[in-house]
Amino acid sequence: QNYLDNFWPDLKPAHELFDSILQARRERESESQENHGKEYPEHLPVEILEAGIKSGRYIQGTLNVNKHRAQLEAFVRLEGFGSKETG
């Protein structure tokens, strides 16, 4: 804000863009506070997930996504299986 005010006081689009970014950041922070600091809301309560994992309805693993081809390549490494077995 100071930079824009001091060096580009007449550049209205830059000030509008800054205000828009600031507003989006404030909205994101308030949503984060509403979700108790979590960036994304939970789909199912933890109790249901834990019960589903114990009963075998759900599986637990780690999602690995190729950072260079994120839209095309990802796999889940299942916990409790050897390092070569993936789903």
Side-chain angles (χ1 to χ4, degrees):
Q1 180 72 42
N2 290 337
Y3 175 79
L4 290 175
D5 289 341
N6 291 328
F7 295 102
W8 302 98
D10 299 329
L11 190 59
K12 195 168 199 166
H15 286 272
E16 291 172 359
L17 177 61
F18 178 81
D19 291 339
S20 174
I21 292 170
L22 187 61
Q23 180 181 355
R25 183 177 174 191
R26 287 180 182 151
E27 288 174 5
R28 187 180 195 189
E29 288 174 356
S30 68
E31 288 173 3
S32 178
Q33 289 174 353
E34 290 172 7
N35 293 328
H36 307 291
K38 297 177 185 171
E39 188 170 346
Y40 301 100
E42 295 176 354
H43 292 284
L44 294 173
V46 174
E47 298 81 23
I48 293 175
L49 290 175
E50 288 175 347
I53 291 169
K54 287 180 183 177
S55 70
R57 180 174 181 176
Y58 302 126
I59 57 173
Q60 185 172 0
T62 303
L63 176 65
N64 294 288
V65 179
N66 182 331
K67 68 180 178 180
H68 303 289
R69 297 171 42 106
Q71 297 291 328
L72 302 173
E73 290 184 21
F75 66 93
V76 175
R77 186 177 311 268
L78 303 177
E79 294 186 11
F81 287 90
S83 61
K84 293 184 181 179
E85 295 184 41
T86 57

Coordinates of all heavy atoms in Angstrom, one line a residue:
Q1 N 0.8 -1.2 0.0 CA 0.0 0.0 0.0 C 0.9 1.2 0.0 O 0.6 2.2 -0.8 CB -0.9 0.0 1.2 CG -1.8 1.2 1.3 CD -2.9 1.2 0.2 OE1 -3.5 0.2 0.0 NE2 -3.2 2.3 -0.4
N2 N 1.9 1.3 0.9 CA 2.8 2.4 0.9 C 3.5 2.6 -0.4 O 3.7 3.8 -0.8 CB 3.8 2.3 2.1 CG 3.2 2.3 3.4 OD1 2.1 2.9 3.6 ND2 3.8 1.8 4.4
Y3 N 4.0 1.6 -1.0 CA 4.7 1.7 -2.3 C 3.8 2.3 -3.3 O 4.2 3.2 -4.0 CB 5.1 0.3 -2.7 CG 5.8 0.3 -4.1 CD1 7.1 0.7 -4.3 CD2 5.0 -0.1 -5.2 CE1 7.7 0.7 -5.5 CE2 5.6 -0.1 -6.5 CZ 6.9 0.3 -6.6 OH 7.5 0.3 -7.9
L4 N 2.5 1.8 -3.4 CA 1.6 2.4 -4.4 C 1.3 3.9 -4.1 O 1.3 4.7 -5.0 CB 0.3 1.6 -4.4 CG 0.4 0.2 -5.1 CD1 -0.9 -0.5 -4.9 CD2 0.8 0.3 -6.5
D5 N 1.1 4.2 -2.8 CA 0.8 5.5 -2.4 C 1.9 6.5 -2.7 O 1.7 7.6 -3.2 CB 0.4 5.6 -1.0 CG -0.9 5.0 -0.7 OD1 -1.7 4.8 -1.6 OD2 -1.2 4.6 0.5
N6 N 3.2 6.0 -2.5 CA 4.3 6.9 -2.6 C 4.8 7.0 -4.1 O 5.2 8.1 -4.5 CB 5.5 6.4 -1.8 CG 5.2 6.7 -0.3 OD1 4.5 7.6 0.1 ND2 5.7 5.8 0.6
F7 N 4.8 5.9 -4.8 CA 5.5 5.9 -6.1 C 4.5 5.9 -7.3 O 4.8 6.3 -8.4 CB 6.4 4.7 -6.3 CG 7.6 4.8 -5.3 CD1 7.6 4.0 -4.2 CD2 8.6 5.7 -5.6 CE1 8.7 4.1 -3.3 CE2 9.7 5.7 -4.7 CZ 9.7 5.0 -3.6
W8 N 3.2 5.5 -7.1 CA 2.3 5.4 -8.1 C 0.9 5.9 -7.7 O -0.1 5.2 -7.8 CB 2.1 3.9 -8.6 CG 3.4 3.3 -9.1 CD1 4.2 2.5 -8.5 CD2 3.9 3.5 -10.4 NE1 5.3 2.2 -9.2 CE2 5.1 2.8 -10.5 CE3 3.6 4.3 -11.5 CZ2 5.9 2.8 -11.6 CZ3 4.4 4.2 -12.7 CH2 5.6 3.5 -12.7
P9 N 0.9 7.1 -7.2 CA -0.4 7.6 -6.6 C -1.5 7.8 -7.6 O -2.7 7.7 -7.3 CB 0.0 9.0 -6.0 CG 1.2 9.4 -6.7 CD 1.9 8.1 -7.1
D10 N -1.2 8.0 -8.9 CA -2.2 8.2 -9.9 C -2.5 6.9 -10.7 O -3.4 7.0 -11.6 CB -1.7 9.3 -10.9 CG -1.5 10.6 -10.2 OD1 -2.2 10.9 -9.2 OD2 -0.6 11.4 -10.6
L11 N -1.9 5.8 -10.4 CA -2.2 4.6 -11.1 C -3.4 3.9 -10.5 O -3.2 3.0 -9.7 CB -0.9 3.7 -11.1 CG -0.9 2.5 -12.0 CD1 -1.1 2.9 -13.5 CD2 0.3 1.7 -11.9
K12 N -4.5 4.3 -10.9 CA -5.8 3.8 -10.3 C -6.0 2.3 -10.5 O -6.4 1.6 -9.5 CB -7.0 4.5 -10.9 CG -8.2 4.4 -10.2 CD -9.3 5.4 -10.7 CE -10.3 5.5 -9.6 NZ -11.2 6.7 -9.8
P13 N -5.7 1.7 -11.6 CA -5.9 0.2 -11.7 C -5.1 -0.6 -10.7 O -5.5 -1.6 -10.2 CB -5.5 -0.1 -13.2 CG -5.6 1.2 -13.9 CD -5.3 2.2 -12.9
A14 N -3.8 -0.1 -10.4 CA -3.0 -0.8 -9.5 C -3.6 -0.7 -8.1 O -3.6 -1.7 -7.3 CB -1.6 -0.2 -9.5
H15 N -4.1 0.4 -7.7 CA -4.8 0.6 -6.4 C -6.0 -0.2 -6.3 O -6.3 -0.8 -5.2 CB -5.1 2.1 -6.2 CG -3.9 2.9 -5.9 ND1 -3.4 3.1 -4.6 CD2 -3.1 3.7 -6.7 CE1 -2.4 3.9 -4.6 NE2 -2.2 4.3 -5.9
E16 N -6.8 -0.3 -7.4 CA -8.0 -1.2 -7.4 C -7.6 -2.6 -7.2 O -8.3 -3.4 -6.5 CB -8.8 -0.9 -8.6 CG -9.4 0.4 -8.7 CD -10.1 0.7 -10.0 OE1 -10.0 -0.1 -10.9 OE2 -10.7 1.8 -10.2
L17 N -6.5 -3.0 -7.9 CA -6.1 -4.4 -7.8 C -5.6 -4.7 -6.4 O -6.0 -5.8 -5.8 CB -5.0 -4.7 -8.8 CG -4.3 -6.1 -8.8 CD1 -5.4 -7.1 -9.1 CD2 -3.2 -6.2 -9.8
F18 N -4.9 -3.8 -5.8 CA -4.4 -4.0 -4.4 C -5.6 -4.2 -3.5 O -5.6 -5.0 -2.6 CB -3.5 -2.9 -4.0 CG -3.0 -3.0 -2.6 CD1 -2.0 -3.8 -2.3 CD2 -3.7 -2.3 -1.6 CE1 -1.6 -3.9 -0.9 CE2 -3.3 -2.4 -0.3 CZ -2.2 -3.3 0.1
D19 N -6.6 -3.3 -3.6 CA -7.8 -3.3 -2.8 C -8.5 -4.7 -2.9 O -9.0 -5.3 -2.0 CB -8.7 -2.2 -3.1 CG -8.1 -0.8 -2.6 OD1 -7.2 -0.8 -1.8 OD2 -8.6 0.2 -3.2
S20 N -8.6 -5.1 -4.2 CA -9.2 -6.4 -4.4 C -8.5 -7.6 -3.8 O -9.1 -8.5 -3.2 CB -9.3 -6.6 -6.0 OG -9.9 -7.9 -6.3
I21 N -7.2 -7.6 -3.9 CA -6.4 -8.6 -3.3 C -6.5 -8.6 -1.8 O -6.6 -9.6 -1.1 CB -4.9 -8.5 -3.7 CG1 -4.8 -8.8 -5.2 CG2 -4.0 -9.4 -2.9 CD1 -3.4 -8.5 -5.8
L22 N -6.5 -7.4 -1.2 CA -6.6 -7.3 0.2 C -7.9 -7.8 0.7 O -8.0 -8.5 1.7 CB -6.4 -5.8 0.6 CG -6.3 -5.5 2.1 CD1 -5.2 -6.2 2.8 CD2 -6.2 -3.9 2.3
Q23 N -9.0 -7.4 0.0 CA -10.3 -7.9 0.4 C -10.4 -9.4 0.3 O -11.0 -10.1 1.2 CB -11.4 -7.3 -0.5 CG -12.8 -7.7 -0.2 CD -13.8 -7.1 -1.1 OE1 -13.5 -6.3 -1.9 NE2 -15.1 -7.5 -0.9
A24 N -9.9 -10.0 -0.8 CA -9.9 -11.5 -0.9 C -9.1 -12.1 0.2 O -9.6 -13.2 0.7 CB -9.3 -11.9 -2.3
R25 N -8.0 -11.5 0.6 CA -7.2 -12.1 1.7 C -8.0 -12.1 3.0 O -8.0 -13.0 3.8 CB -5.9 -11.3 1.8 CG -5.0 -11.9 2.8 CD -3.7 -11.1 2.9 NE -2.9 -11.6 4.0 CZ -1.8 -11.0 4.3 NH1 -1.4 -9.9 3.7 NH2 -1.1 -11.4 5.4
R26 N -8.7 -10.9 3.3 CA -9.5 -10.8 4.5 C -10.6 -11.8 4.5 O -10.9 -12.4 5.6 CB -10.0 -9.4 4.6 CG -9.0 -8.4 5.0 CD -9.5 -7.0 5.1 NE -8.5 -6.1 5.4 CZ -8.5 -4.8 5.1 NH1 -9.5 -4.3 4.4 NH2 -7.5 -4.0 5.4
E27 N -11.3 -12.0 3.4 CA -12.3 -13.0 3.3 C -11.8 -14.4 3.6 O -12.4 -15.2 4.3 CB -13.0 -13.0 1.9 CG -13.9 -11.7 1.8 CD -14.4 -11.6 0.4 OE1 -14.2 -12.5 -0.5 OE2 -15.1 -10.6 0.1
R28 N -10.6 -14.7 3.0 CA -10.0 -16.0 3.2 C -9.7 -16.3 4.6 O -9.9 -17.4 5.2 CB -8.8 -16.1 2.3 CG -8.2 -17.5 2.3 CD -7.0 -17.3 1.4 NE -6.5 -18.6 1.0 CZ -5.3 -18.8 0.3 NH1 -4.6 -17.7 0.0 NH2 -4.9 -20.0 0.0
E29 N -9.1 -15.2 5.3 CA -8.8 -15.4 6.7 C -10.0 -15.6 7.6 O -10.0 -16.4 8.5 CB -8.0 -14.1 7.2 CG -6.6 -14.1 6.6 CD -5.9 -12.8 6.9 OE1 -6.5 -11.9 7.5 OE2 -4.7 -12.7 6.6
S30 N -11.1 -14.9 7.3 CA -12.3 -15.0 8.1 C -12.9 -16.4 7.8 O -13.4 -17.0 8.8 CB -13.3 -13.9 7.7 OG -13.9 -14.1 6.4
E31 N -12.9 -16.9 6.6 CA -13.3 -18.3 6.4 C -12.5 -19.3 7.1 O -13.0 -20.3 7.6 CB -13.3 -18.6 4.9 CG -14.4 -17.9 4.1 CD -14.2 -18.1 2.6 OE1 -13.3 -18.8 2.1 OE2 -15.0 -17.5 1.8
S32 N -11.2 -19.1 7.1 CA -10.2 -20.0 7.8 C -10.6 -20.0 9.3 O -10.5 -21.0 10.0 CB -8.8 -19.5 7.6 OG -7.9 -20.3 8.3
Q33 N -10.9 -18.8 9.9 CA -11.3 -18.8 11.3 C -12.6 -19.5 11.6 O -12.7 -20.2 12.6 CB -11.4 -17.3 11.8 CG -10.0 -16.6 11.8 CD -10.2 -15.1 12.2 OE1 -11.3 -14.6 12.2 NE2 -9.0 -14.5 12.4
E34 N -13.5 -19.4 10.6 CA -14.8 -20.1 10.8 C -14.6 -21.6 10.7 O -15.3 -22.4 11.3 CB -15.7 -19.7 9.7 CG -16.3 -18.3 9.8 CD -17.1 -17.8 8.6 OE1 -17.4 -18.7 7.7 OE2 -17.5 -16.7 8.6
N35 N -13.5 -22.1 10.0 CA -13.2 -23.5 9.8 C -12.2 -23.9 10.8 O -11.5 -25.0 10.7 CB -12.8 -23.8 8.4 CG -13.9 -23.6 7.4 OD1 -15.0 -23.8 7.7 ND2 -13.5 -23.2 6.2
H36 N -12.0 -23.2 11.9 CA -11.1 -23.5 13.0 C -9.6 -23.6 12.5 O -8.9 -24.6 12.8 CB -11.5 -24.7 13.8 CG -12.9 -24.6 14.2 ND1 -13.3 -23.7 15.2 CD2 -14.1 -25.2 13.9 CE1 -14.6 -23.9 15.5 NE2 -15.1 -24.8 14.6
G37 N -9.2 -22.8 11.6 CA -7.9 -22.8 11.1 C -7.6 -23.7 9.9 O -6.5 -23.8 9.4
K38 N -8.6 -24.5 9.5 CA -8.4 -25.4 8.4 C -8.7 -24.7 7.1 O -9.7 -24.0 7.0 CB -9.3 -26.6 8.6 CG -9.0 -27.4 9.8 CD -10.0 -28.5 10.0 CE -9.8 -29.2 11.3 NZ -10.8 -30.1 11.7
E39 N -7.9 -25.0 6.1 CA -8.0 -24.3 4.8 C -9.2 -24.8 4.1 O -9.9 -24.1 3.4 CB -6.8 -24.5 4.0 CG -6.8 -23.7 2.7 CD -5.5 -23.7 2.0 OE1 -4.5 -24.1 2.6 OE2 -5.5 -23.3 0.8
Y40 N -9.5 -26.1 4.2 CA -10.6 -26.7 3.5 C -11.6 -27.4 4.6 O -11.1 -27.9 5.5 CB -10.2 -27.8 2.6 CG -9.3 -27.3 1.5 CD1 -7.9 -27.4 1.6 CD2 -9.8 -26.6 0.4 CE1 -7.0 -26.9 0.6 CE2 -8.9 -26.1 -0.6 CZ -7.6 -26.3 -0.5 OH -6.7 -25.8 -1.4
P41 N -12.9 -27.2 4.4 CA -13.8 -27.9 5.3 C -13.7 -29.4 5.2 O -13.4 -29.9 4.1 CB -15.2 -27.4 4.9 CG -15.0 -27.0 3.5 CD -13.6 -26.5 3.3
E42 N -14.0 -30.1 6.3 CA -13.9 -31.6 6.3 C -15.2 -32.1 5.6 O -16.3 -31.5 5.7 CB -13.9 -32.1 7.7 CG -12.6 -31.8 8.4 CD -12.6 -32.2 9.9 OE1 -13.7 -32.7 10.3 OE2 -11.6 -32.1 10.5
H43 N -15.0 -33.2 4.8 CA -16.2 -33.8 4.1 C -17.0 -34.6 5.1 O -18.2 -34.6 5.1 CB -15.7 -34.6 2.9 CG -15.1 -33.8 1.8 ND1 -15.9 -33.0 1.0 CD2 -13.8 -33.5 1.5 CE1 -15.1 -32.4 0.1 NE2 -13.9 -32.7 0.4
L44 N -16.3 -35.4 5.9 CA -17.0 -36.2 6.9 C -16.3 -36.0 8.2 O -15.1 -35.7 8.3 CB -16.8 -37.7 6.5 CG -17.5 -38.2 5.3 CD1 -17.0 -39.6 5.0 CD2 -19.0 -38.1 5.4
P45 N -17.1 -36.1 9.3 CA -16.5 -36.0 10.7 C -15.4 -37.0 10.9 O -15.4 -38.1 10.3 CB -17.6 -36.1 11.6 CG -18.9 -35.9 10.8 CD -18.5 -36.3 9.4
V46 N -14.4 -36.7 11.7 CA -13.3 -37.6 12.0 C -13.8 -38.9 12.5 O -13.3 -40.0 12.2 CB -12.3 -36.9 13.0 CG1 -11.2 -37.9 13.4 CG2 -11.7 -35.7 12.4
E47 N -14.8 -38.9 13.4 CA -15.3 -40.1 14.0 C -15.8 -41.1 12.9 O -15.6 -42.3 13.0 CB -16.5 -39.8 15.0 CG -16.1 -39.0 16.1 CD -16.1 -37.5 15.8 OE1 -16.7 -37.1 14.8 OE2 -15.4 -36.7 16.5
I48 N -16.5 -40.6 11.9 CA -17.0 -41.5 10.8 C -15.9 -42.0 10.0 O -15.9 -43.2 9.6 CB -18.0 -40.7 10.0 CG1 -19.3 -40.4 10.8 CG2 -18.4 -41.5 8.7 CD1 -20.3 -39.5 10.1
L49 N -14.9 -41.2 9.7 CA -13.7 -41.7 9.0 C -13.0 -42.8 9.7 O -12.6 -43.8 9.2 CB -12.8 -40.5 8.6 CG -13.3 -39.5 7.6 CD1 -12.3 -38.4 7.5 CD2 -13.5 -40.2 6.3
E50 N -12.7 -42.6 11.0 CA -12.0 -43.6 11.8 C -12.8 -44.9 11.9 O -12.2 -45.9 11.8 CB -11.8 -43.0 13.2 CG -10.7 -41.9 13.3 CD -10.6 -41.3 14.6 OE1 -11.4 -41.5 15.5 OE2 -9.6 -40.6 14.8
A51 N -14.1 -44.8 12.1 CA -14.9 -46.0 12.1 C -14.9 -46.7 10.8 O -14.8 -47.9 10.7 CB -16.4 -45.7 12.5
G52 N -15.0 -45.9 9.7 CA -14.9 -46.5 8.3 C -13.6 -47.2 8.0 O -13.6 -48.2 7.4
I53 N -12.5 -46.6 8.5 CA -11.2 -47.2 8.3 C -11.1 -48.5 9.1 O -10.6 -49.6 8.6 CB -10.1 -46.3 8.7 CG1 -10.0 -45.1 7.7 CG2 -8.7 -47.0 8.8 CD1 -9.1 -44.0 8.1
K54 N -11.6 -48.5 10.3 CA -11.6 -49.7 11.2 C -12.4 -50.9 10.6 O -12.0 -52.0 10.6 CB -12.0 -49.4 12.6 CG -11.0 -48.7 13.4 CD -11.5 -48.4 14.8 CE -10.5 -47.6 15.6 NZ -11.0 -47.2 16.9
S55 N -13.6 -50.5 10.0 CA -14.5 -51.5 9.5 C -14.0 -52.0 8.1 O -14.6 -53.0 7.6 CB -15.9 -51.0 9.4 OG -16.0 -50.0 8.4
G56 N -13.1 -51.3 7.4 CA -12.7 -51.6 6.1 C -13.5 -51.0 5.0 O -13.2 -51.2 3.8
R57 N -14.4 -50.1 5.3 CA -15.2 -49.4 4.3 C -14.3 -48.4 3.6 O -14.4 -48.2 2.4 CB -16.4 -48.8 5.0 CG -17.2 -48.0 4.0 CD -18.5 -47.5 4.6 NE -19.3 -46.8 3.6 CZ -20.4 -46.3 3.8 NH1 -21.0 -46.4 5.0 NH2 -21.1 -45.7 2.8
Y58 N -13.4 -47.7 4.4 CA -12.5 -46.8 3.8 C -11.1 -47.3 4.0 O -10.8 -48.1 4.8 CB -12.6 -45.4 4.5 CG -14.0 -44.8 4.5 CD1 -14.6 -44.4 5.7 CD2 -14.7 -44.6 3.3 CE1 -15.9 -43.8 5.7 CE2 -15.9 -44.0 3.3 CZ -16.5 -43.6 4.5 OH -17.8 -43.1 4.5
I59 N -10.2 -46.8 3.1 CA -8.8 -47.1 3.2 C -8.0 -45.8 3.6 O -8.5 -44.7 3.2 CB -8.2 -47.7 1.9 CG1 -8.5 -46.8 0.7 CG2 -8.8 -49.1 1.7 CD1 -7.8 -47.3 -0.5
Q60 N -6.9 -46.0 4.2 CA -6.1 -44.8 4.5 C -4.8 -44.9 3.8 O -4.2 -45.9 3.7 CB -5.8 -44.8 6.0 CG -5.1 -43.5 6.5 CD -5.1 -43.5 8.0 OE1 -5.6 -44.3 8.7 NE2 -4.5 -42.4 8.5
G61 N -4.4 -43.7 3.3 CA -3.1 -43.7 2.5 C -2.7 -42.3 2.3 O -3.2 -41.3 2.9
T62 N -1.6 -42.2 1.5 CA -1.0 -40.9 1.3 C -1.2 -40.6 -0.2 O -0.7 -41.4 -1.1 CB 0.5 -40.8 1.7 OG1 0.6 -41.2 3.0 CG2 1.1 -39.5 1.4
L63 N -1.7 -39.4 -0.6 CA -1.9 -39.0 -1.9 C -0.6 -38.4 -2.4 O -0.1 -37.4 -1.8 CB -3.0 -38.0 -2.1 CG -3.3 -37.5 -3.5 CD1 -3.7 -38.6 -4.5 CD2 -4.3 -36.4 -3.4
N64 N 0.0 -38.9 -3.5 CA 1.2 -38.3 -4.1 C 0.8 -37.8 -5.5 O 0.2 -38.5 -6.3 CB 2.3 -39.4 -4.2 CG 2.7 -39.8 -2.9 OD1 3.4 -39.1 -2.2 ND2 2.3 -41.0 -2.5
V65 N 1.1 -36.5 -5.8 CA 0.7 -35.9 -7.0 C 2.0 -35.5 -7.7 O 2.9 -34.8 -7.1 CB -0.2 -34.7 -6.8 CG1 -0.6 -34.0 -8.1 CG2 -1.5 -35.1 -6.1
N66 N 2.1 -35.8 -9.0 CA 3.3 -35.3 -9.8 C 3.2 -33.8 -10.0 O 2.2 -33.3 -10.5 CB 3.2 -36.0 -11.2 CG 4.4 -35.6 -12.0 OD1 5.0 -34.6 -11.9 ND2 4.8 -36.6 -12.9
K67 N 4.1 -33.1 -9.5 CA 4.1 -31.6 -9.5 C 4.2 -31.1 -10.9 O 3.8 -29.9 -11.2 CB 5.1 -31.0 -8.6 CG 6.5 -31.2 -9.0 CD 7.5 -30.5 -8.1 CE 8.9 -30.7 -8.5 NZ 9.8 -30.1 -7.5
H68 N 4.7 -31.8 -11.8 CA 4.9 -31.4 -13.2 C 3.7 -31.7 -14.1 O 3.4 -31.1 -15.1 CB 6.1 -31.9 -13.8 CG 7.4 -31.6 -13.1 ND1 7.9 -30.3 -13.0 CD2 8.2 -32.4 -12.3 CE1 9.0 -30.3 -12.3 NE2 9.2 -31.5 -11.8
R69 N 2.9 -32.8 -13.7 CA 1.8 -33.2 -14.4 C 0.6 -33.5 -13.5 O 0.0 -34.5 -13.5 CB 2.1 -34.5 -15.2 CG 3.2 -34.3 -16.2 CD 3.7 -35.6 -16.9 NE 2.6 -36.5 -17.2 CZ 2.2 -36.8 -18.4 NH1 2.7 -36.2 -19.4 NH2 1.2 -37.7 -18.6
A70 N 0.3 -32.5 -12.6 CA -0.7 -32.6 -11.6 C -2.0 -33.0 -12.1 O -2.8 -33.7 -11.4 CB -0.7 -31.4 -10.7
Q71 N -2.4 -32.5 -13.2 CA -3.8 -32.8 -13.8 C -3.8 -34.3 -14.3 O -4.9 -34.8 -14.4 CB -4.1 -31.9 -14.9 CG -4.2 -30.4 -14.5 CD -5.4 -30.2 -13.6 OE1 -6.4 -30.8 -13.8 NE2 -5.3 -29.2 -12.7
L72 N -2.7 -34.9 -14.5 CA -2.7 -36.2 -15.2 C -2.1 -37.4 -14.3 O -2.5 -38.5 -14.5 CB -1.9 -36.2 -16.5 CG -2.3 -35.1 -17.5 CD1 -1.3 -35.0 -18.6 CD2 -3.7 -35.5 -18.0
E73 N -1.3 -37.1 -13.4 CA -0.6 -38.1 -12.6 C -0.7 -38.0 -11.1 O -0.3 -36.9 -10.6 CB 0.9 -38.2 -13.0 CG 1.2 -38.7 -14.4 CD 2.7 -38.8 -14.7 OE1 3.4 -38.9 -13.7 OE2 3.0 -38.8 -15.9
A74 N -1.2 -39.0 -10.5 CA -1.3 -39.0 -9.0 C -1.5 -40.5 -8.6 O -2.0 -41.3 -9.4 CB -2.5 -38.2 -8.5
F75 N -1.1 -40.9 -7.4 CA -1.4 -42.2 -6.9 C -1.5 -42.1 -5.4 O -1.0 -41.2 -4.8 CB -0.3 -43.2 -7.4 CG 1.1 -42.9 -6.8 CD1 1.5 -43.6 -5.6 CD2 2.0 -42.1 -7.4 CE1 2.7 -43.3 -5.1 CE2 3.2 -41.9 -6.9 CZ 3.6 -42.5 -5.7
V76 N -2.1 -43.2 -4.9 CA -2.2 -43.2 -3.4 C -1.4 -44.4 -2.9 O -1.5 -45.5 -3.4 CB -3.7 -43.5 -3.0 CG1 -3.9 -43.7 -1.5 CG2 -4.6 -42.3 -3.5
R77 N -0.5 -44.1 -2.0 CA 0.3 -45.1 -1.3 C -0.5 -45.6 -0.1 O -0.7 -44.8 0.8 CB 1.7 -44.6 -0.9 CG 2.6 -45.6 -0.4 CD 4.0 -45.0 -0.1 NE 4.5 -44.3 -1.2 CZ 5.3 -44.7 -2.2 NH1 5.6 -46.0 -2.2 NH2 5.7 -44.0 -3.2
L78 N -0.9 -46.8 -0.1 CA -1.7 -47.3 1.0 C -0.9 -47.6 2.2 O 0.2 -48.1 2.1 CB -2.4 -48.6 0.6 CG -3.3 -48.4 -0.6 CD1 -3.9 -49.8 -1.0 CD2 -4.4 -47.4 -0.4
E79 N -1.4 -47.3 3.4 CA -0.6 -47.5 4.6 C -0.7 -49.0 5.0 O -1.8 -49.6 4.8 CB -1.2 -46.7 5.8 CG -0.9 -45.2 5.5 CD -1.3 -44.3 6.7 OE1 -1.6 -44.9 7.8 OE2 -1.3 -43.1 6.5
G80 N 0.4 -49.6 5.5 CA 0.4 -51.0 5.9 C 0.7 -51.9 4.7 O 0.8 -53.1 4.9
F81 N 1.0 -51.4 3.5 CA 1.4 -52.2 2.4 C 2.8 -51.9 2.1 O 3.4 -50.9 2.5 CB 0.5 -51.9 1.2 CG -0.9 -52.4 1.3 CD1 -1.9 -51.6 1.8 CD2 -1.2 -53.7 0.8 CE1 -3.2 -52.1 1.9 CE2 -2.5 -54.1 0.9 CZ -3.5 -53.3 1.4
G82 N 3.5 -52.8 1.4 CA 4.9 -52.6 1.0 C 5.0 -51.3 0.1 O 4.0 -50.8 -0.5
S83 N 6.2 -50.8 0.0 CA 6.4 -49.6 -0.8 C 6.1 -49.7 -2.2 O 5.9 -48.7 -2.9 CB 7.8 -49.1 -0.6 OG 8.7 -50.1 -1.1
K84 N 6.1 -50.9 -2.8 CA 5.8 -51.1 -4.2 C 4.3 -51.2 -4.5 O 3.9 -51.1 -5.7 CB 6.5 -52.3 -4.8 CG 8.0 -52.1 -4.8 CD 8.7 -53.3 -5.4 CE 10.2 -53.1 -5.3 NZ 10.9 -54.3 -5.9
E85 N 3.5 -51.5 -3.5 CA 2.1 -51.7 -3.8 C 1.3 -50.4 -3.6 O 1.4 -49.7 -2.6 CB 1.5 -52.7 -2.8 CG 2.1 -54.1 -2.9 CD 1.4 -55.1 -2.0 OE1 0.2 -55.0 -1.8 OE2 2.2 -55.9 -1.4
T86 N 0.7 -50.0 -4.7 CA -0.1 -48.7 -4.6 C -1.5 -49.0 -5.2 O -1.7 -50.0 -5.9 CB 0.6 -47.6 -5.4 OG1 0.8 -48.1 -6.8 CG2 1.9 -47.2 -4.8
G87 N -2.4 -48.1 -5.0 CA -3.7 -48.2 -5.5 C -4.1 -47.0 -6.3 O -3.5 -46.0 -6.3

